[in-house]
Amino acid sequence: MRRIWLIGGTSDAKNLADILVAEGFSLLATVATPEGLSFWGERPGLEVRAGRLDEAAMEGLLAQEKFLAVVDGSHPYAQQVTACAREASRRAGVPFFRLGRAATPLPAGAKVFPTAALAAEFLANTSGKIFLTVGSKELEPFAALRGAGERLTVRILPALASLEKCFALGLGPANVIAMTGPFSQATNELQLKESGAAWLVTKDGGAAGGAPEKFAAAEALGVGLVVISRPLEGDEAVDAGRIVQSLKNITGGELTAPAREDVPEQKALVPLFFDLNDGFVLLAGGGPVAARRARALLSCGVRVLMVAPELCAASKQLSGRDGFTWCARQWQESDCHGATVVLAATDDPSINGRIVQTARRLGIPVNRADSRQGNDFVFPAVVRLGSDVAALSTSSLSPARTAKLAARLRAAWPQMCRDVPLGRPLRLASRESELAMAQSRLVAERLHEATGFDVEIIPFRTRGDAVADRRLESAGGKGLFVKELERAILSGQADLAVHSLKDMPSSCPDGLAFAALMDRQTAFDCLVLRPGLTGRPVRIGTSSARRIAQGRALFSDAQFVPLRGNLRTRLSKLDGGEFDALILAEAGLRRLGLQERVSRVFSPDQMIPSAGQGTLAVQCPFDGPVFDLVSQLDEPAVRTCCLAERAFIDRLNGGCTAPHGAYARVDGETIEMIGLYVRPDGKTLSGKISGPAADGPSLAAELADRLKRRGDGL
């Protein structure tokens, strides 16, 4: 088997393909768009396919076809592609290589920013025209600049999708140069002159991406240079020569390993599982390796103190996670004091050596990421399905062999777990409020009816329940209601949890998923009047910014007063005369048998609900026996609507506490949606969209973009 999967349509990938074909390898090259097919042309020993692949599609391809290795030759800025390909390869046990590209030296005075948004923010405070060569994916923040139509000239590939995006963002033909490179320094200078540019904005695509010619043109004309820095590729990025040699080694049998006499003697390791929840792990370093270590520890509920002057993109994504703290400076010896475990993962071997010496002197177990020898412990490959956990190691002597063994075990583990009965009831984590317990009992009964399993409900008092004296936004958001329940599942205390979907953040923690979205009897808001009230309500209780923004149009003469507490507490305050009326979710009242308290139900045209309102979300580990059991409760139509509603909120960069709203309904194969966008100044805009139900999330994103553009233009 000498078949290689090569990802990407870059000149670096094409050059590597020529070498590999000459060496006798056969290749499958995949590109995102049909335009990439013409880039590759026809080559013997090379098959080319077009189409965007997410992580699931990549895993499917690796399962269907046998590859010797995966080589990621995509653009250095294609972070999502690289992350998906790396993870899919890891799961399949197929060797993964990232084709690196040398960075370009920056001229003096260049302004460098890590993201397009920050670059645009800088340019917002400058004057002069801008020549933009960052590709169509990064256009939004620049198109949002004041006077973009007069300031911007955009150079993009002559692809229909790219041109349509420019026009959708308000950039007309006069703003666009649609050309295929490469571009010489002279061509860059000519276009800079013709556009009258004071600024050139580009990425560091290396020599293959024409960066040297662009940098030189800007320097020659005295044009300001703004560079969006390249994402850190990590230590796995290697040049074409090393990839070719590694692939040759693989075809000789297994991955090459040192001769037996060169294999370092490894001391015997005792396989143990430790509870580190009462201490913390000191992790020195902020690169990709440190990020992987931190994610593994955080998923087990361990507190992590990361010490590093800067963080890579993967480490930055950990910010805000429970248990994660970043100290932005170089490691100091005093950092080790009090740590349960120490991990040395900096990019400086001398610092890693000092960390090991310090930890040993303090009697703290230590692991050094840049060395396989002399560590007190190793990081195994972990196969986890709920509370069923297996750890695999080859004592650090062969990481490639560990990866292959883990891939095989992952494939077999779900069935192995299913074949062994749980031998106990399913444990369902629930908030202890009356409404949460009622919802949990409903799910427990349905689950027992569908599967025959008994279900034990374990009540938890969450942090959200404990801060009833403050607005949720100031206390940390609605996520406060769910984190304890998620930790209970991840730590093995519970098998599943029931949530109100409207209270859930936009994504689940690693390893968890919504196995069922169900029981959406009603998604609407309702008005509950104080008994005996005559006339219109003057004091209306609600802490929802979404309800207040829409309620003002319905009750222009009313005062909206903040209100927290469980449902019974709110009704008690209403009946005690503190309020004339409350605005509540109708579903909660119905689930407690209090539907007689409903005075008026608001239609979506009057008050657009919160995304996912009225829906129960049953969360559990994404793979394994519990997921298979719970997924029997899933209601496809409810899932279709809720995914579209949450996609609308995500597109507006909102979370479960954002004031925006969305409501979708499915009629046959068609989905209809109404969305609410609330501007920072409280003004509201709404709109509708419909189309194929299978396209719900993309339709939702289109509606969100439309409302955002309208709102920003007010």
Side-chain angles (χ1 to χ4, degrees):
M1 180 182 66
R2 296 173 66 86
R3 184 166 165 81
I4 309 297
W5 178 14
L6 179 58
I7 301 171
T10 62
S11 57
D12 293 320
K14 185 186 285 187
N15 293 337
L16 176 60
D18 290 339
I19 297 172
L20 291 174
V21 169
E23 293 286 347
F25 293 95
S26 66
L27 274 69
L28 168 65
T30 56
V31 292
T33 63
E35 289 79 10
L37 296 174
S38 59
F39 169 84
W40 279 102
E42 293 187 6
R43 281 173 158 76
L46 173 70
E47 176 191 356
V48 185
R49 300 178 194 169
R52 298 190 183 278
L53 300 174
D54 59 13
E55 188 176 318
M58 290 181 177
E59 286 190 38
L61 180 59
L62 288 169
Q64 294 166 9
E65 304 186 31
K66 300 300 181 184
F67 293 102
L68 178 70
V70 176
V71 178
D72 177 15
S74 61
H75 196 279
Y77 289 80
Q79 291 176 277
Q80 188 63 32
V81 173
T82 298
C84 290
R86 182 190 298 112
E87 181 61 18
S89 301
R90 183 188 69 79
R91 289 181 179 274
V94 178
F96 172 81
F97 299 93
R98 174 65 169 131
L99 179 59
R101 183 184 291 186
T104 308
L106 292 171
K111 308 294 185 184
V112 182
F113 299 93
T115 66
L118 290 175
E121 186 177 320
F122 165 77
L123 290 168
N125 297 309
T126 67
S127 60
K129 295 187 175 182
I130 302 166
F131 192 76
L132 199 60
T133 64
V134 297
S136 60
K137 291 183 179 179
E138 304 277 12
L139 288 179
E140 282 88 345
F142 301 101
L145 291 172
R146 184 182 298 275
E150 290 74 38
R151 294 190 71 186
L152 292 184
T153 297
V154 178
R155 188 170 74 192
I156 57 172
L157 290 172
L160 179 60
S162 299
L163 292 168
E164 288 177 340
K165 183 170 185 179
C166 288
F167 299 152
L169 291 173
L171 302 175
N175 300 103
V176 179
I177 299 174
M179 294 179 65
T180 301
F183 301 99
S184 65
Q185 179 180 339
T187 301
N188 283 312
E189 288 186 20
L190 177 63
Q191 293 180 347
L192 285 169
K193 288 178 182 177
E194 289 180 344
S195 67
W199 297 96
L200 168 63
V201 185
T202 186
K203 296 177 178 179
D204 178 13
E213 290 78 10
K214 287 186 277 190
F215 291 2
E219 194 169 21
L221 297 178
V223 171
L225 180 63
V226 175
V227 179
I228 301 173
S229 61
R230 185 184 301 182
L232 296 176
E233 292 183 308
D235 53 13
E236 77 274 17
V238 295
D239 60 30
R242 287 180 60 188
I243 290 175
V244 173
Q245 186 58 52
S246 296
L247 294 175
K248 286 182 179 180
N249 292 339
I250 296 174
T251 57
E254 291 294 325
L255 285 166
T256 54
R260 182 67 240 176
E261 59 270 23
D262 295 331
V263 176
E265 183 178 351
Q266 176 69 40
K267 56 189 176 183
L269 299 176
V270 179
L272 298 172
F273 286 83
F274 281 99
D275 180 356
L276 300 180
N277 289 299
D278 292 333
F280 74 92
V281 172
L282 171 71
L283 205 169
V289 174
R292 290 197 294 273
R293 298 283 191 261
R295 277 198 303 270
L297 292 164
L298 291 168
S299 69
C300 297
V302 178
R303 292 186 296 146
V304 175
L305 171 61
M306 181 176 283
V307 180
E310 298 178 347
L311 301 184
C312 71
S315 293
K316 287 179 180 177
Q317 292 176 359
L318 301 173
S319 298
R321 286 189 57 169
D322 270 5
F324 179 79
T325 304
W326 173 39
C327 183
R329 58 166 171 75
Q330 291 284 2
W331 171 83
Q332 300 173 1
E333 288 194 6
S334 58
D335 294 332
C336 293
H337 291 277
T340 307
V341 170
V342 172
L343 305 179
T346 77
D347 57 5
D348 187 332
S350 64
I351 294 179
N352 288 339
R354 289 170 49 208
I355 294 171
V356 170
Q357 292 175 359
T358 302
R360 291 261 168 80
R361 188 174 68 250
L362 296 172
I364 302 172
V366 62
N367 174 279
R368 178 173 175 169
D370 60 356
S371 175
R372 299 180 188 175
Q373 302 180 41
N375 287 316
D376 295 328
F377 59 92
V378 300
F379 272 87
V382 176
V383 181
R384 179 192 299 272
L385 294 178
S387 57
D388 299 320
V389 183
L392 255 168
S393 171
T394 55
S395 301
S396 291
L397 294 180
S398 179
R401 178 175 171 79
T402 301
K404 288 186 176 182
L405 289 171
R408 292 186 180 183
L409 183 58
R410 284 193 182 93
W413 194 242
Q415 189 59 51
M416 293 169 64
C417 293
R418 292 186 191 101
D419 290 343
V420 179
L422 288 175
R424 56 170 174 77
L426 292 170
R427 298 163 300 171
L428 189 158
S430 171
R431 290 172 56 197
E432 61 182 10
S433 72
E434 181 185 10
L435 177 58
M437 292 294 287
Q439 293 175 161
S440 294
R441 283 193 294 270
L442 183 151
V443 171
E445 290 169 4
R446 299 261 183 98
L447 193 55
H448 179 71
E449 292 171 2
T451 68
F453 274 81
D454 291 331
V455 181
E456 174 190 359
I457 298 176
I458 305 174
F460 285 82
R461 180 170 175 79
T462 68
R463 190 179 168 205
D465 298 311
V467 291
D469 59 333
R470 285 180 283 161
R471 290 177 61 89
L472 281 175
E473 291 83 352
S474 64
K478 291 185 180 179
L480 293 174
F481 289 122
V482 304
K483 290 180 180 178
E484 281 88 348
L485 306 186
E486 291 174 335
R487 277 198 292 266
I489 302 174
L490 291 170
S491 66
Q493 294 177 266
D495 301 302
L496 66 154
V498 176
H499 310 280
S500 294
L501 183 61
K502 70 179 180 65
D503 294 337
M504 297 299 291
S506 59
S507 61
C508 289
D510 292 345
L512 299 184
F514 298 134
L517 300 179
M518 57 180 287
D519 197 55
R520 191 180 205 181
Q521 298 178 16
T522 173
F524 307 134
D525 290 307
C526 67
L527 186 73
V528 179
L529 295 174
R530 176 166 49 82
L533 178 70
T534 59
R536 289 173 60 82
V538 176
R539 286 174 56 85
I540 300 177
T542 178
S543 292
S544 164
R546 174 188 57 82
R547 289 168 176 157
I548 293 171
Q550 297 178 95
R552 287 187 175 128
L554 299 170
F555 304 97
S556 58
D557 55 347
Q559 177 189 7
F560 291 88
V561 184
L563 172 67
R564 284 288 315 279
N566 62 42
L567 194 51
R568 296 280 187 187
T569 299
R570 298 184 187 199
L571 292 173
S572 175
K573 290 180 179 181
L574 173 69
D575 295 343
E578 293 186 39
F579 305 96
D580 297 325
L582 306 178
I583 300 178
L584 301 170
E586 183 188 9
L589 291 165
R590 289 190 174 278
R591 289 193 177 116
L592 288 183
L594 298 172
Q595 55 267 29
E596 76 279 356
R597 295 300 306 263
V598 176
S599 304
R600 173 183 176 184
V601 176
F602 298 112
S603 71
D605 290 322
Q606 297 170 320
M607 184 170 290
I608 300 172
S610 177
Q613 185 162 305
T615 300
L616 298 184
V618 190
Q619 189 181 40
C620 65
F622 71 87
D623 197 2
V626 177
F627 188 95
D628 291 345
L629 294 171
V630 175
S631 62
Q632 298 179 52
L633 304 183
D634 191 54
E635 299 175 26
V638 172
R639 180 174 290 271
T640 297
C641 292
C642 291
L643 292 182
E645 292 167 9
R646 287 164 69 84
F648 177 86
I649 302 300
D650 288 346
R651 189 70 168 193
L652 294 174
N653 296 319
C656 55
T657 58
H660 318 304
Y663 172 70
R665 60 182 295 272
V666 170
D667 183 4
E669 296 183 357
T670 299
I671 189 170
E672 301 172 352
M673 169 178 276
I674 182 171
L676 172 74
Y677 170 51
V678 181
R679 297 195 336 165
D681 62 6
K683 293 182 179 178
T684 64
L685 294 94
S686 63
K688 296 181 179 181
I689 197 168
S690 63
D695 297 337
S698 59
L699 290 169
E702 180 183 338
L703 178 60
D705 291 342
R706 187 190 307 166
L707 293 178
K708 186 74 161 54
R709 286 195 298 271
R710 279 175 49 198
D712 292 347
L714 286 180

